[in-house]
Amino acid sequence: MVEHYGMRYSETRMSHDSDARPNLVPIFVALALGMFLAALDQTIVSTALPTIVGDLGGIEHLSWVVTAYLVASTASTPLYGKLGDTLGRKPVFQAAIVIFLTGSLLSGAAQSLNELIAFRALQGIGAGGLMVGAQAIIGDIVPPRERGRYMGFIGAVFAVSSVAGPLLGGFFVDNLSWRWVFYVNIPMGILALVVVATRLHLPRNRGARNPVDWLGFALLTGAVGSLILMTSWGGSQYRWGSLTIIGLGVAAVALAVAFFFRERSAADPLIAPRLFSSRVFNIANATGFIVGLGMFGALTFLPLYLQVVRGATPTTSGLLMVPLMGGLLTASILSGRWISAHGRYRAFPIAGTAFLTVGMALLTTLDAGTSKLLSSVFMVIIGIGIGLVMQVLVLVVQNDARPTDLGVATSTAQFFRSIGGSVGVAIFGAIFASRLASGLSALPPQVAAQVGVSGGSVQVRPDQVQALPSGTRDEFIGVFVHALHGAFLWGAIFSVLAFVLTWLLPEVPLRVQSAMGRRAGEETAPIAA
């Protein structure tokens, strides 16, 4: 009999409570640290970007510091899921930590912006495996029925990283050096690496190892890269109707279609087509995509509201987002405990998307006179919605997947959510820019010039807005708030679509045995899909 934590979970509920849980505490801390590193690096760097450019130069390539990380982390997500299923979860997760730490160390030591961009891409390659690896390992060692009680760990990671990112970034820039934005990852990463190496014991995969579908991975990477570049550059560096943006869009579609046909013919596909034969898998991922699209697309503009309209600093705006994170964390913990106690989950995505719809609709009422208390209530409602839906969808997908497909199923869920967020930011950015440009056309031309809006490109700096004469500032803020309302309104519309989808999600009984326990018991099942 194979000895591992998943098998202990498959024994009885009592053995789980008395034996396995103490052993899982340090493992969950290490996994949470891994996810925290990946989530933190999406927020901490933005605060330091102006200082980085001032030190290294190359402002014309500034956006690549963020884009390189985003492309690499998103594109590598499905690969890590597949490698975890075939090579084993533990070594792949450890490799992701090492790659991420190497990228962090090199990024902190970069002497030019081009070097920093290359090292950020390396960091992103590691980050793609941190989030997927951690959630897949949780799926391995904890049965779906018991997993809800640990969802608070995951919620806490996103809540803390969203607030800590701007705070730590501002602190390091003001008191130490922008290089510590990257060096701070080193001690946390080493701790996670040591705990995983010494405390996580999973059986090795001894089945036949088919070669990785590198052609499929190349096609997927090209499609993801083209899509993210299109969404990042459209409306900012290039017009939406420019040949560059149209070419990237065509390339993204063509490569995605080529990837689809490649996966149907590949001996061991990166994302097995059979997964899409499951109604649970399709609806959960479609919901995750739409929620990511609406949520990330609209919430990108909340800091803009706080900084431009309310005059908050980047650090202060991070603190003002605490109510949202508090609602997320509370809802994630309470819903997870209820799911573990009752074994039912369907009500929570339905309720979560309903809360999201209401919260997004309430954001359309924000203006310069909205009190901090009222805006905090709106954020709490949105946070509750996110906490009720996002991690439940991952749980649903993992519960539905075969043990040998757990990593791929987890990575696909993460992949669709990330792609949804990228598309949402682009769509709502275009809506916001269009409404802002239209509103500014009714104001004196010098107002637009003073706040950095020209030719449809929006580069509003909060300090410039606050420096405007009071009358002009009030006019501009009125136009700016009206433009924000468009983004929030579309966020509400997409949330309604997600709400409708969740009603189609089947209620499948949550398994009481971990993926490792199921895999050990299925002696005739193939190790590699």
Side-chain angles (χ1 to χ4, degrees):
M1 180 176 179
V2 182
E3 287 294 327
H4 52 69
Y5 295 109
M7 289 297 290
R8 291 179 187 172
Y9 263 96
S10 67
E11 305 285 339
T12 63
R13 177 73 174 266
M14 185 174 294
S15 67
H16 160 75
D17 287 335
S18 62
D19 182 28
R21 190 181 300 174
N23 294 326
L24 287 177
V25 171
I27 295 173
F28 265 85
V29 170
L31 297 178
L33 276 176
M35 289 188 289
F36 179 75
L37 290 174
L40 182 69
D41 247 63
Q42 296 178 0
T43 58
I44 192 173
V45 175
S46 58
T47 308
L49 281 180
T51 306
I52 292 173
V53 171
D55 189 9
L56 300 180
I59 191 171
E60 67 276 9
H61 302 303
L62 177 63
S63 63
W64 276 101
V65 176
V66 176
T67 303
Y69 181 90
L70 183 60
V71 170
S73 60
T74 304
S76 63
T77 295
L79 178 63
Y80 277 109
K82 187 64 178 178
L83 290 176
D85 285 339
T86 56
L87 302 180
R89 216 79 67 201
K90 179 176 176 177
V92 172
F93 186 64
Q94 289 174 305
I97 296 176
V98 171
I99 293 171
F100 183 84
L101 293 183
T102 302
S104 299
L105 188 62
L106 292 174
S107 294
Q111 298 301 309
S112 70
L113 198 66
N114 288 335
E115 286 185 4
L116 180 59
I117 291 169
F119 299 148
R120 281 282 286 167
L122 181 63
Q123 232 190 344
I125 293 173
L130 292 178
M131 198 70 70
V132 171
Q135 295 196 71
I137 290 172
I138 292 172
D140 265 341
I141 63 179
V142 183
R145 178 63 185 264
E146 301 294 335
R147 206 171 303 156
R149 70 180 64 195
Y150 297 101
M151 284 165 54
F153 280 92
I154 301 173
V157 166
F158 293 104
V160 173
S161 65
S162 297
V163 176
L167 294 177
L168 286 175
F171 174 81
F172 289 139
V173 168
D174 293 340
N175 297 281
L176 296 172
S177 164
W178 63 264
R179 299 182 185 276
W180 279 94
V181 167
F182 303 105
Y183 291 152
V184 70
N185 296 326
I186 306 301
M188 291 188 288
I190 290 175
L191 176 61
L193 193 62
V194 170
V195 174
V196 168
T198 59
R199 301 301 298 271
L200 178 62
H201 305 294
L202 302 175
R204 292 181 178 275
N205 254 339
R206 295 184 173 88
R209 296 178 182 178
N210 295 324
V212 174
D213 180 20
W214 291 111
L215 176 57
F217 176 62
L219 292 171
L220 181 63
T221 301
V224 169
S226 298
L227 177 63
I228 291 178
L229 289 178
M230 182 188 75
T231 57
S232 300
W233 289 350
S236 56
Q237 297 191 37
Y238 301 94
R239 292 180 298 103
W240 280 107
S242 67
L243 287 177
T244 300
I245 298 302
I246 293 176
L248 286 171
V250 171
V253 172
L255 290 168
V257 171
F259 173 74
F260 172 77
F261 283 104
R262 169 62 186 175
E263 295 305 275
R264 294 185 64 181
S265 61
D268 191 23
L270 199 65
I271 301 177
R274 66 170 176 270
L275 291 172
F276 295 93
S277 64
S278 167
R279 180 183 171 190
V280 173
F281 183 85
N282 291 333
I283 293 177
N285 283 324
T287 303
F289 174 84
I290 296 173
V291 169
L293 191 153
M295 181 184 71
F296 290 114
L299 294 186
T300 299
F301 295 94
L302 258 182
L304 262 183
Y305 165 78
L306 295 172
Q307 294 177 38
V308 174
V309 178
R310 304 304 297 266
T313 64
T315 301
T316 304
S317 69
L319 290 174
L320 291 174
M321 296 281 285
V322 168
L324 190 151
M325 302 310 158
L328 186 159
L329 185 56
T330 302
S332 180
I333 292 173
L334 295 181
S335 63
R337 289 186 173 277
W338 196 95
I339 290 172
S340 289
H342 299 86
R344 303 179 67 85
Y345 58 78
R346 185 168 176 264
F348 293 102
I350 294 173
T353 49
F355 269 96
L356 268 178
T357 301
V358 172
M360 292 294 180
L362 290 173
L363 291 184
T364 63
T365 66
L366 290 175
D367 56 32
T370 304
S371 68
K372 289 183 180 179
L373 176 60
L374 191 58
S375 61
S376 295
V377 171
F378 296 169
M379 291 186 211
V380 169
I381 292 173
I382 291 176
I384 291 173
I386 298 171
L388 290 177
V389 67
M390 293 307 279
Q391 291 308 315
V392 175
L393 293 177
V394 176
L395 171 63
V396 169
V397 168
Q398 291 182 334
N399 181 65
D400 182 64
R402 300 180 184 179
T404 51
D405 288 335
L406 182 67
V408 172
T410 304
S411 65
T412 304
Q414 180 69 29
F415 177 77
F416 277 111
R417 188 191 325 183
S418 299
I419 292 297
S422 298
V423 173
V425 170
I427 291 175
F428 298 148
I431 294 170
F432 168 72
S434 175
R435 289 169 66 100
L436 183 58
S438 176
L440 288 173
S441 65
L443 299 180
Q446 60 269 26
V447 175
Q450 283 179 292
V451 296
V453 181
S454 60
S457 176
V458 183
Q459 295 177 330
V460 179
R461 287 178 51 186
D463 57 338
Q464 291 177 323
V465 174
Q466 299 306 315
L468 291 172
S470 58
T472 303
R473 183 174 65 249
D474 292 341
E475 284 186 285
F476 172 77
I477 286 179
V479 171
F480 191 86
V481 167
H482 176 71
L484 286 176
H485 287 171
F488 296 141
L489 177 61
W490 277 98
I493 292 172
F494 280 110
S495 297
V496 169
L497 181 56
F499 175 73
V500 172
L501 266 179
T502 56
W503 283 95
L504 303 176
L505 187 66
E507 179 83 72
V508 178
L510 294 178
R511 301 180 188 275
V512 296
Q513 191 178 30
S514 70
M516 284 297 175
R518 291 166 59 202
R519 188 151 47 212
E522 296 172 2
E523 296 181 357
T524 59
I527 295 298

